[in-house]
Amino acid sequence: MKKLTSKDPYAALRIKEFKIFLLLRFVLVFGWSMQFIVIEWQVYSITKDPLSLGVIGLMEIIPALSMALFAGHIVDQREKRNLLATCLAAFSLISLGLFLLTWPVIVSTWSTKTILYSIYALVFFGGFLRSFFGPTIFSLIALIVPKKLYPNAATWSSSTWQMASVLGPAFAGFAIGWIGVHWSLCIIFSLVILSLIILLQIKKKPILNPKLGEPIIQSLKEGVRFVFKTKAILGALTLDMIAVLFGGAVALLPVFAQDILKVGSEGFGVLRAAPAVGAFLTMLVTAYIPISKNAGMKLLGAIFGFGVCIIVFGLSSIFWISVMALFFSGVTDGISMVIRQTILQIKTPDNMRGRVASVNSMFVGSSNELGAFESGLTAKLMGTVTAVVFGGTMTLITVVTTGLVLPSFRKLDLTKDIEAHEKED
């Protein structure tokens, strides 16, 4: 068998269980991203109010944020494969519920308000589950591949996530036009069940936490303390959180597709997929050209470019210019994601992965939904175009401020950490 080395761009892919994991992640993210798009479309079609799109984000962020640290503690205390299986089983119930809410019999007998509030309730439950998904998946990767391959595994895992994010939204947009919202949700339910079947092909993993049964308060304090004292992690998470919070133009895409660019559900699918296409192509390149050297400056530059792209998108009234702006926002976001995931995988001890990933979800993951609410609210107050331009401008200000206030972050370099893991293995 060929020796696995960190310099081999396909090293992680030579591990059988990691390939199964990537298939699982693709199917799950494809279905999850499809579901979010279909829900966005359905809710805006019902209400014609951009604030309702923000409410979707708010309904998910409240449970995700409030449960994040507690979920991280549970993940560090439990076996990861079975915990993820439990989450997938619960997620299938959400998908089934959304499918039933769009059943013609239900639509004709229930009031619009009842259906809308029921959708919000299921999204709320999904936010609760989401607090467990991120830490569990992050921890599972580290149990499948050796430490020296963490950067390579992070790149392929993120690339798979982006590929699913490309195809899921695009397929959702076309599916809405071809078979309608109801049967699109049926496809999503089937994908969730398939992901559960795939997961069972991965063996159970050992629990590496030496402090099983540790009091929850003590456990949570230890996790938060570690993140705040590790400046590389804290800087990356803070920078990305604020950028995503103010650059959340994607939440307003239904408004652009229906009312500004007037391109319908198919155009909506293209717009929604464009950032993920850019991010996916960037991640493929980083598998061959590592970006660990001068990581701090590269991360600052990537997020600055992201802000510029968001401003261009907000000002554009031409469909293909809007698509290209979103594409390049994905390119810059892809660089940011790979660097951030590499920092987390390299700097986090095995026994704290669940808690650190939970803090990450609080900083970055939840900021997507909070950013969606911020975008919906500012669109209601300022107008859609002004809200997007405002968000992009705040992102630029954030990057410049971070670069000036944290000179040590500008000097961040991950090369030595990767070389140390190579020698360790």
Side-chain angles (χ1 to χ4, degrees):
M1 180 178 176
K2 184 177 179 179
K3 183 179 179 181
L4 301 178
T5 67
S6 60
K7 295 181 180 179
D8 178 3
Y10 303 103
L13 296 180
R14 303 187 193 284
I15 300 173
K16 181 180 178 181
E17 278 200 338
F18 184 68
K19 288 187 285 189
I20 296 174
F21 169 82
L22 291 184
L23 179 60
L24 160 69
R25 190 159 205 205
F26 177 84
V27 173
L28 178 59
V29 174
F30 187 97
W32 188 293
S33 60
M34 261 194 79
Q35 180 167 290
F36 190 77
I37 295 305
V38 174
I39 290 173
E40 277 189 331
W41 185 267
Q42 180 69 0
V43 167
Y44 187 68
S45 297
I46 291 173
T47 64
K48 290 297 181 180
D49 184 355
L51 184 59
S52 66
L53 300 176
V55 173
I56 295 176
L58 191 63
M59 286 298 100
E60 188 166 356
I61 189 179
I62 291 175
L65 193 59
S66 61
M67 283 296 300
L69 289 177
F70 178 69
H73 168 77
I74 292 178
V75 171
D76 282 336
Q77 296 280 322
R78 301 290 178 83
E79 194 279 315
K80 311 302 184 285
R81 198 282 304 264
N82 284 353
L83 181 59
L84 184 56
T86 301
C87 292
L88 288 174
F91 182 40
S92 69
L93 296 179
I94 295 176
S95 298
L96 179 61
L98 290 169
F99 171 66
L100 294 176
L101 282 175
T102 56
W103 194 278
V105 174
I106 298 295
V107 173
S108 62
T109 55
W110 289 21
S111 68
T112 299
K113 182 177 292 186
T114 301
I115 293 175
L116 182 64
Y117 288 169
S118 297
I119 292 174
Y120 287 154
L122 290 174
V123 170
F124 185 90
F125 183 35
F128 173 83
L129 287 179
R130 177 184 167 161
S131 66
F132 287 88
F133 270 117
T136 308
I137 290 173
F138 179 77
S139 301
L140 189 58
I141 294 176
L143 295 172
I144 293 175
V145 301
K147 289 183 178 180
K148 65 184 178 183
L149 300 184
Y150 284 171
N152 185 255
T155 298
W156 285 112
S157 178
S158 298
S159 298
T160 300
W161 184 89
Q162 285 293 350
M163 183 190 297
S165 298
V166 169
L167 299 177
F171 183 76
F174 287 109
I176 291 170
W178 293 338
I179 59 177
V181 168
H182 179 60
W183 292 110
S184 295
L185 289 168
C186 181
I187 293 175
I188 293 166
F189 173 69
S190 302
L191 289 172
V192 178
I193 297 300
L194 176 59
S195 68
L196 180 58
I197 294 172
I198 295 171
L199 173 63
L200 297 179
Q201 308 309 307
I202 297 177
K203 296 179 180 179
K204 291 183 180 180
K205 301 300 174 186
I207 303 174
L208 301 180
N209 188 356
K211 298 181 180 180
L212 293 180
E214 180 181 18
I216 185 170
I217 299 301
Q218 182 178 334
S219 172
L220 299 184
K221 285 181 178 179
E222 185 180 359
V224 173
R225 190 181 304 118
F226 173 80
V227 170
F228 276 85
K229 77 177 183 180
T230 309
K231 301 303 181 184
I233 293 179
L234 180 62
L237 296 189
T238 302
L239 182 64
D240 220 43
M241 175 191 72
I242 298 176
V244 172
L245 173 63
F246 288 109
V250 172
L252 298 175
L253 287 184
V255 184
F256 278 89
Q258 295 187 39
D259 301 334
I260 297 176
L261 300 174
K262 301 185 186 302
V263 290
S265 62
E266 290 83 0
F268 172 59
V270 173
L271 289 170
R272 190 62 178 80
V277 173
F280 173 64
L281 294 178
T282 299
M283 290 176 182
L284 287 182
V285 172
T286 60
Y288 296 89
I289 308 175
I291 54 178
S292 55
K293 187 175 179 61
N294 298 322
M297 284 300 297
K298 288 175 180 175
L299 184 56
L300 288 168
I303 297 180
F304 188 89
F306 175 80
V308 172
C309 292
I310 293 300
I311 293 173
V312 172
F313 170 75
L315 295 175
S316 171
S317 59
I318 300 173
F319 178 63
W320 288 110
I321 292 179
S322 300
V323 170
M324 292 306 296
L326 290 174
F327 171 82
F328 284 108
S329 76
V331 170
T332 53
D333 189 45
I335 296 173
S336 168
M337 183 180 297
V338 170
I339 294 175
R340 189 177 73 250
Q341 288 298 315
T342 301
I343 291 172
L344 288 174
Q345 288 287 2
I346 288 177
K347 299 287 188 180
T348 306
D350 289 330
N351 65 313
M352 298 187 66
R353 291 188 178 279
R355 282 164 287 176
V356 171
S358 291
V359 176
N360 174 49
S361 70
M362 293 177 68
F363 272 74
V364 180
S366 296
S367 62
N368 284 286
E369 283 65 46
L370 190 57
F373 179 72
E374 180 271 337
S375 295
L377 181 60
T378 53
K380 183 79 170 180
L381 299 175
M382 306 178 179
T384 303
V385 172
T386 305
V388 173
V389 174
F390 168 77
T393 303
M394 291 301 296
T395 301
L396 299 184
I397 293 173
T398 299
V399 173
V400 173
T401 303
T402 302
L404 293 175
V405 173
L406 297 175
S408 61
F409 189 77
R410 299 199 306 264
K411 301 175 183 177
L412 178 64
D413 194 310
L414 301 175
T415 306
K416 291 183 180 180
D417 295 280
I418 295 174
E419 291 175 349
H421 282 312
E422 185 81 45
K423 293 177 182 179
E424 188 178 308
D425 288 330

